């Protein structure tokens, strides 16, 4: 039954052989270097991914870092703090 179905399928694709046009994978023309090219592509992809990940982490850290804006206290506050410190040291034996 399946053989009859397969015989009914008569489509034959037309393959154009154009001179100068090569496969991107070059599996038939350079089979020995295929795996090396795949490894090289994967290493490049990993480097790009690592760079993107590092840039995202740096951006997140830049946005999350807290930098308070401080200024010197007025002179009278400094005097009060120093007098309180002296008074506290005198109270303790």
């Amino acid at each position: 039954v399946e053989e009859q179905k397969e015989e009914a399928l008569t489509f034959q694709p037309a393959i154009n052989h154009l001179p100068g046009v090569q496969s991107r994978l070059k599996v038939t023309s350079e089979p020995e270097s295929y795996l090396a090219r795949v490894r090289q592509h994967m290493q490049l992809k990993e480097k790009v991914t690592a760079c993107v990940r590092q840039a995202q982490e740096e951006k997140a850290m830049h946005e999350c870092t807290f930098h308070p804006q401080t200024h010197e206290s007025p002179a009278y506050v400094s005097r009060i703090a120093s007098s309180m410190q002296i008074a506290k040291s005198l109270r303790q034996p």
Side-chain angles (χ1 to χ4, degrees), residues 4-56:
Q4 292 175 351
K5 289 181 182 178
E6 289 180 14
E7 288 176 5
L9 303 175
T10 59
F11 175 74
Q12 294 287 328
I15 299 174
N16 299 328
H17 294 283
L18 300 174
V21 176
Q22 297 179 359
S23 168
R24 285 187 181 181
L25 298 177
K26 299 180 183 177
V27 175
T28 56
S29 63
E30 299 176 22
E32 63 280 348
S33 68
Y34 175 70
L35 290 178
R37 286 184 280 125
V38 168
R39 279 190 213 105
Q40 183 181 12
H41 178 72
M42 292 300 290
Q43 289 173 350
L44 178 64
K45 190 174 180 181
E46 288 173 4
K47 285 181 183 178
V48 169
T49 303
C51 288
V52 169
R53 185 177 298 121
Q54 183 180 3
Q56 288 174 342

